[in-house]
Amino acid sequence: QFETFLKRLAKSLPESDPMKKQLDGWRHEDNSVRMFRYLLEENKIDVSLPRKSSRKAPALALTETDLIFIEEAIMGTKAPDRKGRPPEKHFLYEIVNNIESGLDVDKLDYLQRDMDRALGRKDATFERLSLAARVCSVPANPAAQDSRDWKNLSLSQQPAGLSEEGAEEVRMVLCYPEKQAGEAMEVFGHRNSMHDKVYQHRKVLAMDEMVTDAL
């Protein structure tokens, strides 16, 4: 992985090298945000202007808050620091970079791509798991969970926060059916397998070392 390679490169640089500090703190999420901003600025895209509408998609314009949300979703911003969406919409952050469970489209996308390209595995699509995702309300404090059947509450049944005086505080999250717990675990099994067979394979690490020496 490129991020791992850069960290290894940073370790090989002397403390006096100004690039060492930049590489030490490099994250691909940070670079993705920079690319997003660059694309808007370089192409002079004014997101406040409505795009052309069609029968399937109405004309929409983005606000500054929308841009903040996009960047926060990419970065995996923690709940207390989120400004792009109110608490009842925080489940949206779990789609791109899920800091709660690690199940997000970023991970599913690169796993499907790499398993196809590196191992010829075209069967790992994760489509069934993605289609099963639902927005549910759960206790904001898991330790305070009582006997209520939280997993069966729908989005319309319980808003986030304290909806009424004395009501239990809840939050909205992405959930999956209990019967698909095995499939969810397989995602992390595939990730571990890819690290063993590809990302951290001894030949890949050896190539990292050779490129690092060349640089």
Side-chain angles (χ1 to χ4, degrees):
Q1 290 177 312
F2 189 62
E3 188 169 351
T4 303
F5 166 70
L6 289 182
K7 290 179 179 178
R8 292 170 65 86
L9 178 60
K11 290 181 179 179
S12 69
L13 297 174
E15 293 294 333
S16 58
D17 194 320
M19 187 178 292
K20 180 178 178 64
K21 186 176 180 180
Q22 295 180 17
L23 294 179
D24 272 336
W26 194 92
R27 296 196 316 154
H28 71 272
E29 292 91 350
D30 297 325
N31 226 41
S32 295
V33 170
R34 292 192 192 100
M35 289 170 61
F36 173 63
R37 293 173 181 168
Y38 173 81
L39 288 172
L40 295 180
E41 295 171 3
E42 182 68 14
N43 296 286
K44 297 179 174 58
I45 299 175
D46 187 353
V47 295
S48 64
L49 297 177
R51 303 296 100 186
K52 291 183 178 180
S53 62
S54 64
R55 292 182 179 180
K56 294 184 178 180
L60 296 175
L62 298 181
T63 65
E64 186 62 31
T65 302
D66 292 327
L67 296 181
I68 292 174
F69 164 66
I70 292 171
E71 295 181 1
E72 288 180 341
I74 294 172
M75 294 291 294
T77 306
K78 295 182 179 180
D81 302 323
R82 294 170 182 169
K83 300 176 181 178
R85 288 294 183 270
E88 62 269 21
K89 296 291 184 180
H90 277 188
F91 63 88
L92 293 171
Y93 288 89
E94 299 176 16
I95 297 174
V96 177
N97 187 355
N98 193 337
I99 61 175
E100 297 287 338
S101 69
L103 277 176
D104 51 54
V105 294
D106 176 43
K107 183 177 278 81
L108 297 181
D109 177 67
Y110 81 69
L111 279 177
Q112 181 175 333
R113 177 200 65 206
D114 294 348
M115 290 176 70
D116 179 17
R117 296 296 184 266
L119 304 179
R121 290 279 306 274
K122 298 184 180 296
D123 57 317
T125 63
F126 311 116
E127 184 176 359
R128 186 168 178 266
L129 183 64
S130 300
L131 293 175
R134 294 292 184 272
V135 178
C136 303
S137 82
V138 299
N141 179 12
Q145 184 171 353
D146 56 21
S147 59
R148 294 186 62 186
D149 191 7
W150 289 96
K151 63 185 178 183
N152 290 326
L153 290 179
S154 66
L155 178 61
S156 61
Q157 288 175 300
Q158 187 65 267
L162 293 172
S163 55
E164 296 178 7
E165 185 177 354
E168 184 163 2
E169 189 174 2
V170 298
R171 61 194 181 98
M172 311 310 297
V173 298
L174 283 184
C175 298
Y176 299 87
E178 191 172 343
K179 64 181 180 181
Q180 288 185 279
E183 289 185 51
M185 294 301 294
E186 282 182 5
V187 172
F188 298 100
H190 287 315
R191 182 175 181 272
N192 183 66
S193 177
M194 287 298 293
H195 273 276
D196 288 340
K197 296 178 180 179
V198 181
Y199 305 141
Q200 301 295 323
H201 190 276
R202 69 178 189 277
K203 292 183 179 179
V204 174
L205 297 181
M207 292 174 65
D208 282 353
E209 291 288 349
M210 288 188 285
V211 174
T212 300
D213 291 342
L215 294 175

